[in-house]
């Protein structure tokens, strides 16, 4: 609990609670006619509008109540980016229950852990993912109902799950009039589990207040308005898709749900961006880079209409940003985590820096950007002292604020993850420069400790990935008999350039580093191990190559 | 107290309080270099930036604490739109104390009532307004210190107020480092008194939470960002200037304080708009119309750079909006009150209405616009039933939300002004059309009741004011022996057209009204009585002309 000063009483409606259903109520009242589009599994598009979405959300809330869903219940959802996921977010939270986000990409073991740890009583599953729940059904302790989500009404659902309801059949008889209660804004609206590179996934439960404030702030920072068309690319099971769909409802922007997609098949995403005249989307290099590869195969290059592409995770290579910029799309680097809802910083070019040389501006745009309002932050060195804002001194990012988690739910690891004054220790190593821009130099645990010095694994990765024949690269610190750790690089080359050598890569990156910072070895591999959310799994790399330098 | 549902506990920082000092802390950290400009009494400009403003706010908070100011204290301020007012808003609320807004345009009697009712202990006054406090000094019950605000450091302040401190002298020795406490967000940040057309002024006390949410919402709705230049025209003692200066700090926009100005001398405002390349401002027709008259005297017409002019009170004549539009400035009609912080609705053209014929769009833009998110609203007829949204049915606007007051402080009139479920009864008569746009047709008490029918006084006024030779017009319902009330119009003509007759005016407006809706008489006068905030005082008109029809 934060210590606070009590002042004079206000006369205002301070007990009026910030509830997430405000977004759809507002959109349906003020922008009933604005389109909401959702891509079906067969690639066709479902089109309706905020008024119709609101009516279906009302039906869904009534149906869930009839199934016995009560305030505080946890309802698991495993679905692609569809209008149904949107409806579920609003109806479940509109009862005062909690939407539990289930990431379909985690292991069976983790999936049943998440569902049981949350105590979910109902699970809603896309028909295309039913097998992922069937395989763990025996392990689930509290689940008493299943709801199958699909594009067309089906009379017979083929599943071993029981009892299994049909989403559309549940909705059909219900009234669209739902008596929205006012919900304590500190109640959970949704739960998410971090991907957990070590140990079991950790749970955070976002409050209604968190989401309302985050949506207002993100909408302000991105200047989202009714002229925008927002497309949901970040999966809605991953940090609630950053809540971009709520920004659309808040501002009356047209909203596009991208359905099911993969990094191997990005044409549908590119087609939607163009056909729906999307002006803002959100994703990560892991999807924006394959999209660019696809676009490069097109005869007629598309021109995007001032598209803003919010990009999380690590920065994409500057060449990717430039290629998009040439087509009228602006990659805007953002930074955060599941624990931060996620926005901690956003990279917009401050007008006062417009005079910088072009290349300096590009270098700046690769950084994580400026911290956002209402987030208190500190960069602390190993002794808990704030580091200078010189763009060089590295500190661990500590964050506190209305959309930063203050604990992990029912998890002993909370005590190590938060400071006494309530800051979340991100584990990210960052610098802050004189212009006010944060840069993530590494995960604290991935910094390579070599002979008493630190080497950023991310800087090496980015430098290698800029090589024209490199598809992916990951660098990890591997135990070394003499230097404690030394960098080892794993590199995936593209198909057209199998004659690239280790020396070529080293020569390519050499100008940017001191000699002792270069990897001792570069290994060409077919694939780099990844986590369930598509990040390089350094844990797996260190496991597989742990003896590499000691055996040489 | 609103009844609410309790859900599952959130893990997030829900106890992190929304405090207004967040705005300056953020601006000083992320946009330290961005300019803040303030017009001095002698017309010269003071220029500094958010970093320097923050340092002075720190000094001021330390100085006020040294004077004994404690959390909950009420500190009166009477000042023009200056950087000092900005500093006072932040420093006073940063202690957990309350800035009491004192309108210099109210009577001595009301002024001492306001100061005593609030229990203010310190008063900060512009040197140019000292006499307005001197004249009531004897009446003030709790004031123990005065602080004189002025442009240049002065050693001798000529005032009978005692003890009187000098603002700059107080600041000088203090440290700019201030230890900002976290303040309960439901504590009052500022207090304002309504102008009170009947009875004593009524008090509302805005909370920190109110202001933070209002600022976020207004910034989103107006798409304010770091490329903007905001100029504060609405007086900062009038509904805290709508908090436009906070929108600037939140978004890193350049900020211009307009200093002291009058409707008779608008050149300084116009000059500032042009010289500082202002992109957004806020005001009312009472100032935008005189500004236009001044601009029309210029040989070279200025071109504004997509200037958005938020305009409160009644709509300006469409000709004024068109004249501004021709110069690149967009008048955006907004609606609210001191009790609503103020934003209740905002008139932006929804993209779905872009196809409407031009004249229909102009007609739409004269309305009060679409209700904003997070404000619950109802239009209720005389029986407490919601009226249809048909653009014709008139109801009283009832509002509830995080920035709507839920009571008047220490005032028995509260019990009549709020409904049982916590809505504020605005006293405004409105319609809601099929597009979602509110229109204020009148004050409920100013609707003219004639032979069992209602006539909108505002519609008549707007029609008359569209006449090219009319400067101002006000229409009031005057008791009538046969019809209960009949409209009487008071009209101020411009200097060049003294031969305009009553019949000319009636002929001019006739096409827009049924015959029985027309005023029985039009009187040409030199001036129309106004309230302290510049609105037509129908109370005074009815008082002066109460027997007009009964004596005829």
């Amino acid at each position: 609990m934060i210590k606070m000063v009590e002042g004079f009483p206000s006369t205002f409606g301070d007990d009026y609670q910030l509830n997430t259903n405000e977004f759809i109520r507002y959109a349906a009242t003020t922008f009933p006619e604005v389109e909401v589009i959702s891509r079906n599994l067969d690639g066709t598009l479902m089109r309706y509008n905020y008024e119709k979405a609101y009516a279906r959300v009302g039906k869904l809330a009534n149906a869930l109540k009839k199934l016995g869903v009560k305030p505080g219940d946890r309802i698991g959802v495993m679905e692609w980016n569809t209008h149904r996921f949107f409806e579920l977010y609003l109806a479940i939270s509109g009862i005062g229950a909690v939407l539990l986000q289930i990431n379909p990409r985690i292991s069976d073991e983790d999936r049943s852990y998440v569902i049981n740890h949350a105590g979910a009583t109902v699970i809603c599953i896309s028909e295309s993912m039913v097998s992922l729940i069937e395989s763990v059904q025996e392990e689930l302790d509290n689940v008493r109902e299943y709801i199958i989500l699909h594009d067309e009404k089906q009379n017979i659902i083929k599943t071993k799950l029981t009892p299994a309801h049909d989403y559309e059949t549940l909705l059909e008889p219900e009234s669209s009039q739902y008596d929205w209660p006012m919900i304590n804004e500190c109640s959970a609206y949704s739960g998410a589990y971090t991907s957990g590179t070590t140990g079991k996934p950790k749970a955070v439960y976002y409050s209604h207040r968190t989401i309302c404030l985050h949506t207002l702030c993100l909408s302000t920072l991105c200047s989202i308005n009714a002229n925008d068309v927002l497309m949901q690319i970040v999966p809605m099971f991953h940090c609630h898709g950053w809540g971009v769909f709520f920004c659309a409802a808040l501002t009356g922007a047209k909203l596009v749900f991208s359905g099911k997609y993969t990094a191997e098949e990005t044409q549908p995403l590119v087609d939607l961006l163009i056909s729906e005249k999307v002006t803002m989307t959100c994703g990560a290099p892991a999807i924006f880079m394959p999209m660019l590869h696809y676009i490069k195969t097109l005869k007629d290059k598309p021109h995007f209409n001032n598209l803003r592409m919010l990009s999380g995770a690590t920065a994409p290579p500057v060449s990717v940003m430039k290629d998009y910029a040439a087509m009228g799309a602006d990659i805007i680097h953002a930074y955060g985590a599941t624990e931060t809802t996620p926005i901690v910083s956003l990279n917009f070019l401050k007008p006062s820096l417009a005079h910088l040389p072009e290349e300096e501006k590009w270098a700046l745009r690769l950084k994580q950007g400026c911290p956002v309002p209402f987030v208190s932050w500190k960069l602390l060195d190993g002794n808990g002292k704030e580091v200078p804002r010189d763009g060089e001194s590295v500190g661990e990012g500590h964050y506190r604020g209305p959309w930063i988690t203050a604990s992990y739910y029912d998890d002993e690891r909370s005590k190590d993850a938060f400071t006494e004054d309530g800051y979340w220790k991100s584990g990210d190593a960052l610098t802050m420069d004189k212009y006010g821009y944060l840069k993530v130099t590494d995960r604290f645990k991935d910094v390579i400790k070599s002979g008493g010095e630190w080497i950023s694994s991310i800087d090496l990765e980015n430098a290698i990935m800029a090589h024209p024949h490199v598809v992916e690269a990951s660098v990890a610190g591997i135990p070394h008999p003499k230097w404690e750790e030394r960098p080892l690089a794993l590199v995936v080359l593209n198909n057209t350039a199998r004659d690239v050598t280790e020396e070529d890569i080293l020569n390519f990156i050499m100008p940017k580093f001191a000699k002792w910072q270069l990897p001792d070895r570069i290994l060409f591999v077919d694939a780099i191990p990844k986590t369930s959310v598509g990040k390089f799994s350094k844990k797996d790399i260190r496991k597989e190559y742990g003896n590499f330098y000691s055996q040489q």
Side-chain angles (χ1 to χ4, degrees), chain A residues 322-336:
Chain A
K322 287 183 178 177
D323 283 350
Y324 271 113
M327 296 184 291
D330 196 16
I331 290 192
I332 299 166
H333 203 185
Y335 163 63

PDB file of all heavy atoms in Angstrom, chain A residues 322-336:
ATOM      1  N   LYS A 322      12.928   1.305 -42.948  1.00  0.00           N
ATOM      2  CA  LYS A 322      13.044   2.178 -44.126  1.00  0.00           C
ATOM      3  C   LYS A 322      12.198   1.652 -45.290  1.00  0.00           C
ATOM      4  O   LYS A 322      11.586   2.433 -46.026  1.00  0.00           O
ATOM      5  CB  LYS A 322      14.513   2.294 -44.544  1.00  0.00           C
ATOM      6  CG  LYS A 322      15.340   3.157 -43.604  1.00  0.00           C
ATOM      7  CD  LYS A 322      16.771   3.302 -44.094  1.00  0.00           C
ATOM      8  CE  LYS A 322      17.572   4.206 -43.157  1.00  0.00           C
ATOM      9  NZ  LYS A 322      18.985   4.318 -43.569  1.00  0.00           N
ATOM     10  N   ASP A 323      12.195   0.334 -45.446  1.00  0.00           N
ATOM     11  CA  ASP A 323      11.391  -0.237 -46.530  1.00  0.00           C
ATOM     12  C   ASP A 323       9.909   0.076 -46.324  1.00  0.00           C
ATOM     13  O   ASP A 323       9.195   0.421 -47.265  1.00  0.00           O
ATOM     14  CB  ASP A 323      11.591  -1.763 -46.608  1.00  0.00           C
ATOM     15  CG  ASP A 323      12.913  -2.114 -47.264  1.00  0.00           C
ATOM     16  OD1 ASP A 323      13.572  -1.206 -47.819  1.00  0.00           O
ATOM     17  OD2 ASP A 323      13.310  -3.296 -47.198  1.00  0.00           O
ATOM     18  N   TYR A 324       9.455  -0.047 -45.083  1.00  0.00           N
ATOM     19  CA  TYR A 324       8.057   0.287 -44.802  1.00  0.00           C
ATOM     20  C   TYR A 324       7.811   1.784 -45.018  1.00  0.00           C
ATOM     21  O   TYR A 324       6.792   2.184 -45.577  1.00  0.00           O
ATOM     22  CB  TYR A 324       7.666  -0.123 -43.383  1.00  0.00           C
ATOM     23  CG  TYR A 324       7.148  -1.542 -43.267  1.00  0.00           C
ATOM     24  CD1 TYR A 324       7.858  -2.515 -42.584  1.00  0.00           C
ATOM     25  CD2 TYR A 324       5.931  -1.904 -43.848  1.00  0.00           C
ATOM     26  CE1 TYR A 324       7.390  -3.823 -42.470  1.00  0.00           C
ATOM     27  CE2 TYR A 324       5.446  -3.205 -43.745  1.00  0.00           C
ATOM     28  CZ  TYR A 324       6.178  -4.158 -43.059  1.00  0.00           C
ATOM     29  OH  TYR A 324       5.692  -5.434 -42.959  1.00  0.00           O
ATOM     30  N   ALA A 325       8.762   2.588 -44.547  1.00  0.00           N
ATOM     31  CA  ALA A 325       8.588   4.038 -44.674  1.00  0.00           C
ATOM     32  C   ALA A 325       8.428   4.433 -46.137  1.00  0.00           C
ATOM     33  O   ALA A 325       7.623   5.315 -46.478  1.00  0.00           O
ATOM     34  CB  ALA A 325       9.769   4.763 -44.035  1.00  0.00           C
ATOM     35  N   ALA A 326       9.163   3.740 -47.007  1.00  0.00           N
ATOM     36  CA  ALA A 326       9.076   4.057 -48.441  1.00  0.00           C
ATOM     37  C   ALA A 326       7.687   3.756 -48.989  1.00  0.00           C
ATOM     38  O   ALA A 326       7.286   4.286 -50.026  1.00  0.00           O
ATOM     39  CB  ALA A 326      10.139   3.269 -49.207  1.00  0.00           C
ATOM     40  N   MET A 327       6.946   2.916 -48.281  1.00  0.00           N
ATOM     41  CA  MET A 327       5.582   2.580 -48.712  1.00  0.00           C
ATOM     42  C   MET A 327       4.527   3.320 -47.894  1.00  0.00           C
ATOM     43  O   MET A 327       3.346   2.955 -47.906  1.00  0.00           O
ATOM     44  CB  MET A 327       5.357   1.064 -48.601  1.00  0.00           C
ATOM     45  CG  MET A 327       6.254   0.260 -49.532  1.00  0.00           C
ATOM     46  SD  MET A 327       5.901  -1.523 -49.482  1.00  0.00           S
ATOM     47  CE  MET A 327       6.471  -1.972 -47.845  1.00  0.00           C
ATOM     48  N   GLY A 328       4.950   4.329 -47.131  1.00  0.00           N
ATOM     49  CA  GLY A 328       3.986   5.138 -46.383  1.00  0.00           C
ATOM     50  C   GLY A 328       3.575   4.542 -45.057  1.00  0.00           C
ATOM     51  O   GLY A 328       2.543   4.896 -44.494  1.00  0.00           O
ATOM     52  N   ALA A 329       4.384   3.611 -44.513  1.00  0.00           N
ATOM     53  CA  ALA A 329       4.059   3.001 -43.217  1.00  0.00           C
ATOM     54  C   ALA A 329       5.183   3.297 -42.230  1.00  0.00           C
ATOM     55  O   ALA A 329       6.362   3.164 -42.557  1.00  0.00           O
ATOM     56  CB  ALA A 329       3.870   1.496 -43.368  1.00  0.00           C
ATOM     57  N   ASP A 330       4.787   3.656 -41.046  1.00  0.00           N
ATOM     58  CA  ASP A 330       5.726   4.130 -40.041  1.00  0.00           C
ATOM     59  C   ASP A 330       5.788   3.108 -38.907  1.00  0.00           C
ATOM     60  O   ASP A 330       4.796   2.913 -38.206  1.00  0.00           O
ATOM     61  CB  ASP A 330       5.180   5.470 -39.517  1.00  0.00           C
ATOM     62  CG  ASP A 330       6.203   6.270 -38.773  1.00  0.00           C
ATOM     63  OD1 ASP A 330       7.408   5.977 -38.904  1.00  0.00           O
ATOM     64  OD2 ASP A 330       5.788   7.190 -38.046  1.00  0.00           O
ATOM     65  N   ILE A 331       6.926   2.438 -38.750  1.00  0.00           N
ATOM     66  CA  ILE A 331       7.054   1.514 -37.618  1.00  0.00           C
ATOM     67  C   ILE A 331       7.390   2.329 -36.374  1.00  0.00           C
ATOM     68  O   ILE A 331       8.372   3.071 -36.348  1.00  0.00           O
ATOM     69  CB  ILE A 331       8.113   0.426 -37.881  1.00  0.00           C
ATOM     70  CG1 ILE A 331       7.602  -0.540 -38.966  1.00  0.00           C
ATOM     71  CG2 ILE A 331       8.438  -0.338 -36.592  1.00  0.00           C
ATOM     72  CD1 ILE A 331       8.408  -1.800 -39.121  1.00  0.00           C
ATOM     73  N   ILE A 332       6.549   2.213 -35.359  1.00  0.00           N
ATOM     74  CA  ILE A 332       6.725   2.971 -34.116  1.00  0.00           C
ATOM     75  C   ILE A 332       7.067   1.963 -33.033  1.00  0.00           C
ATOM     76  O   ILE A 332       6.243   1.123 -32.667  1.00  0.00           O
ATOM     77  CB  ILE A 332       5.434   3.724 -33.749  1.00  0.00           C
ATOM     78  CG1 ILE A 332       5.086   4.719 -34.850  1.00  0.00           C
ATOM     79  CG2 ILE A 332       5.588   4.424 -32.404  1.00  0.00           C
ATOM     80  CD1 ILE A 332       3.671   5.266 -34.750  1.00  0.00           C
ATOM     81  N   HIS A 333       8.260   2.081 -32.527  1.00  0.00           N
ATOM     82  CA  HIS A 333       8.726   1.119 -31.562  1.00  0.00           C
ATOM     83  C   HIS A 333       8.126   1.421 -30.185  1.00  0.00           C
ATOM     84  O   HIS A 333       8.147   2.553 -29.728  1.00  0.00           O
ATOM     85  CB  HIS A 333      10.251   1.185 -31.514  1.00  0.00           C
ATOM     86  CG  HIS A 333      10.870  -0.073 -31.007  1.00  0.00           C
ATOM     87  ND1 HIS A 333      12.199  -0.220 -30.791  1.00  0.00           N
ATOM     88  CD2 HIS A 333      10.309  -1.247 -30.688  1.00  0.00           C
ATOM     89  CE1 HIS A 333      12.429  -1.435 -30.346  1.00  0.00           C
ATOM     90  NE2 HIS A 333      11.305  -2.077 -30.279  1.00  0.00           N
ATOM     91  N   ALA A 334       7.588   0.391 -29.560  1.00  0.00           N
ATOM     92  CA  ALA A 334       7.002   0.551 -28.233  1.00  0.00           C
ATOM     93  C   ALA A 334       7.629  -0.491 -27.311  1.00  0.00           C
ATOM     94  O   ALA A 334       8.227  -1.461 -27.776  1.00  0.00           O
ATOM     95  CB  ALA A 334       5.494   0.366 -28.283  1.00  0.00           C
ATOM     96  N   TYR A 335       7.470  -0.276 -26.020  1.00  0.00           N
ATOM     97  CA  TYR A 335       8.140  -1.158 -25.064  1.00  0.00           C
ATOM     98  C   TYR A 335       7.232  -1.413 -23.875  1.00  0.00           C
ATOM     99  O   TYR A 335       6.569  -0.499 -23.379  1.00  0.00           O
ATOM    100  CB  TYR A 335       9.457  -0.513 -24.625  1.00  0.00           C
ATOM    101  CG  TYR A 335      10.061  -1.071 -23.366  1.00  0.00           C
ATOM    102  CD1 TYR A 335      10.484  -2.396 -23.292  1.00  0.00           C
ATOM    103  CD2 TYR A 335      10.226  -0.256 -22.241  1.00  0.00           C
ATOM    104  CE1 TYR A 335      11.056  -2.905 -22.127  1.00  0.00           C
ATOM    105  CE2 TYR A 335      10.798  -0.754 -21.080  1.00  0.00           C
ATOM    106  CZ  TYR A 335      11.202  -2.077 -21.023  1.00  0.00           C
ATOM    107  OH  TYR A 335      11.758  -2.576 -19.877  1.00  0.00           O
ATOM    108  N   GLY A 336       7.233  -2.653 -23.442  1.00  0.00           N
ATOM    109  CA  GLY A 336       6.450  -3.025 -22.277  1.00  0.00           C
ATOM    110  C   GLY A 336       6.473  -4.523 -22.103  1.00  0.00           C
ATOM    111  O   GLY A 336       7.291  -5.217 -22.712  1.00  0.00           O
TER     112      GLY A 336
END
